[in-house]
Amino acid sequence: MIRRAVLLAGLCAATLAGAAEIRPTRDYLSPELRAQQQDPSRHPGWLWVDEGEALWRRGETSCQSCHGDIARMAGVAARYPAVASDGALLNLEGRIERCRTQHQGQPAFGYESDELLALTAAIALRSRGMPMSVAVDGPAAPFLEAGRRLYETRQGQLNLACGQCHDDNAGRRLRGDVISNGLGTGYPAYRLEWNGMGSLHRRLRACSLGVRATQFDLGSPEYLALELFLADRARGLPVEAPGLRR
Amino acid sequence: MTPRAATFLPPPFTGEGRGGGPRAFAALLLMSVLNGTASAQVAPFVVTEDAILAPLEGRIGDAARGAAVVRNRETANCLICHSIPDPRERFMGDIGPPLAGVGSRLTAGQIRLRLVDATLLNPDAVMPPYHRVAGLVRVDERYRGQPVLTAQEIEDVVAFLATLKDEGE
């Protein structure tokens, strides 16, 4: 594993074109962005991480009052999305909102709010470098299949399936972007184009719009199922959140 | 490549008799109406071997207008995937083959088919269909029922690409 990572680090993205293998997203980043993603002092996403860690401790029934130090969240992001006891598929954002409404008795932050992005980023950071390992059997199986179908269907006015870019053309250039394998491992991510932090579902809406297909809502069942499928595709690859993107 | 000769005509207009009946049925009819309206915007054409020999609707293409269509980042967005021989254009894609020399490699009819619907040649084509509405899934409602490019725009782009000859020709 380590040897492989070292070998890959030396390769430039162009040589990955059309690669059948699914590679960590950092392999597709420019060397500059890759270095910056690893360096908190040059990664604007750390503003959200700091805010998230403060939120973790804030209030009487704080997250910390139930879970202890945020360091104990290590490994959690690698296991999400996951099916909750009531059968709902929850991603990390959904899990946090449930704690907020059911255990803290507070109104939900709302998808894409700075608070939710901050907490998600702070929690995901604790799993950085850990291998993705979502459960896809039992109650998760139908969600995985729904996600796979969405991934494999040609859609939109441009009639493209996700894999036609993220499998068949990974490493090639779409305008100024180098296409990666389309994993969710770097989210939430700070995108320079957004001038801020954004969720995976926000990125998925951009890809849907790119092929002129219906955009599903943030937190919709469709994108949740897709997120599970992407997490399964990334099995064994490292969590990179909070990511840094152009 | 399998040679094929078939007529691709727009689906018949089936909007008549709308109204009444259960919900699902009404929804089905509505889809037909949309397809029907859409078909008015898609020109009929005949495929001969791997080409559409006749200009769509008999229109005459204009290479200068075609060049503008190819560069347009809002509509056709060809350069997201292809490069053209123009040093002023930056950040061109390399998903599709470079378009330099395409006018020497392909006839106008072959270019026309690849623009109208490349899946008629290769079902797995990545190249989007630029003049088709039938059989597309989950199209955003702003674009539903319309082809990306009109028949005139297709002819303009064909005229432009035909000018991209190999050097020395």
Side-chain angles (χ1 to χ4, degrees):
Chain A
M1 245 346 235
I2 292 172
R3 253 190 75 206
R4 199 181 121 209
V6 171
L7 277 174
L8 282 176
L11 293 175
C12 80
T15 63
L16 306 177
E21 198 187 345
I22 295 172
R23 299 184 192 265
T25 309
R26 61 183 179 212
D27 291 1
Y28 294 97
L29 299 180
S30 68
E32 171 58 21
L33 267 189
R34 195 185 309 150
Q36 221 176 320
Q37 174 168 283
Q38 288 309 111
D39 180 354
S41 70
R42 291 197 299 145
H43 188 326
W46 247 261
L47 291 173
W48 277 259
V49 170
D50 291 343
E51 172 65 13
E53 291 182 351
L55 280 170
W56 179 264
R57 298 184 299 263
R58 187 171 304 163
E60 227 168 85
T61 46
S62 64
C63 314
Q64 183 155 276
S65 68
C66 278
H67 296 285
D69 191 88
I70 194 168
R72 291 179 52 195
M73 289 288 110
V76 171
R79 297 196 303 269
Y80 272 75
V83 179
S85 51
D86 66 350
L89 181 65
L90 296 182
N91 59 3
L92 205 48
E93 286 92 337
R95 177 70 264 172
I96 294 167
E97 291 285 51
R98 274 210 177 178
C99 279
R100 173 110 177 131
T101 54
Q102 296 182 357
H103 302 309
Q104 297 183 303
Q106 300 282 339
F109 289 120
Y111 222 99
E112 225 55 32
S113 62
D114 275 327
E115 292 88 347
L116 186 56
L117 287 167
L119 268 170
T120 311
I123 292 169
L125 174 65
R126 298 295 162 162
S127 301
R128 240 194 184 193
M130 296 186 181
M132 288 296 292
S133 60
V134 283
V136 290
D137 51 356
F143 293 113
L144 181 73
E145 275 322 300
R148 183 194 310 279
R149 268 198 308 280
L150 185 51
Y151 187 88
E152 290 175 351
T153 307
R154 276 178 179 264
Q155 49 196 295
Q157 195 189 32
L158 301 192
N159 199 36
L160 286 165
C162 310
Q164 290 186 284
C165 284
H166 292 292
D167 293 308
D168 305 348
N169 284 298
R172 296 212 174 89
R173 282 191 175 278
L174 193 81
R175 259 306 177 201
D177 280 321
V178 173
I179 301 180
S180 69
N181 285 124
L183 307 179
T185 48
Y187 286 80
Y190 187 96
R191 218 175 141 199
L192 301 170
E193 191 195 311
W194 291 336
N195 207 4
M197 199 71 140
S199 68
L200 175 63
H201 291 197
R202 182 171 175 195
R203 172 67 239 192
L204 292 177
R205 280 175 62 85
C207 282
S208 293
L209 184 68
V211 298
R212 300 184 169 187
T214 312
Q215 291 175 290
F216 297 107
D217 291 337
L218 300 168
S220 62
E222 289 85 358
Y223 283 156
L224 281 173
L226 194 53
E227 182 173 354
L228 181 66
F229 178 72
L230 298 183
D232 185 46
R233 262 167 70 76
R235 182 171 302 283
L237 300 182
V239 173
E240 296 181 32
L244 187 60
R245 302 288 180 264
R246 63 191 290 279
Chain B
M1 189 183 310
T2 13
R4 49 196 290 181
T7 310
F8 289 90
L9 289 170
F13 185 82
T14 42
E16 279 167 49
R18 227 173 117 209
R23 228 164 211 225
F25 188 51
L28 203 82
L29 278 176
L30 184 63
M31 273 178 55
S32 311
V33 173
L34 289 173
N35 267 336
T37 333
S39 66
Q41 300 183 36
V42 173
F45 56 87
V46 177
V47 177
T48 309
E49 305 271 321
D50 73 332
I52 298 172
L53 300 178
L56 300 181
E57 296 173 348
R59 287 167 188 273
I60 294 166
D62 178 282
R65 276 200 316 249
V69 172
V70 164
R71 291 169 204 271
N72 189 321
R73 292 176 188 232
E74 245 68 299
T75 56
N77 217 352
C78 310
L79 304 186
I80 201 174
C81 292
H82 292 280
S83 61
I84 51 171
D86 181 348
R88 286 168 307 173
E89 281 290 344
R90 301 185 60 224
F91 299 120
M92 295 186 284
D94 63 2
I95 309 259
L99 294 176
V102 71
S104 300
R105 289 197 298 277
L106 301 175
T107 65
Q110 287 173 318
I111 293 174
R112 190 174 292 112
L113 175 69
R114 283 151 181 79
L115 290 176
V116 165
D117 184 1
T119 64
L120 296 173
L121 260 181
N122 167 15
D124 298 325
V126 168
M127 169 81 185
Y130 278 92
H131 198 66
R132 160 181 162 189
V133 293
L136 301 181
V137 175
R138 271 202 292 277
V139 177
D140 182 288
E141 55 187 320
R142 280 166 291 178
Y143 305 106
R144 214 170 288 162
Q146 313 157 39
V148 185
L149 298 179
T150 64
Q152 182 64 56
E153 287 168 326
I154 293 283
E155 292 309 321
D156 293 342
V157 174
V158 170
F160 168 62
L161 295 185
T163 68
L164 300 181
K165 301 283 191 199
D166 277 335
E167 276 173 54
E169 264 186 63

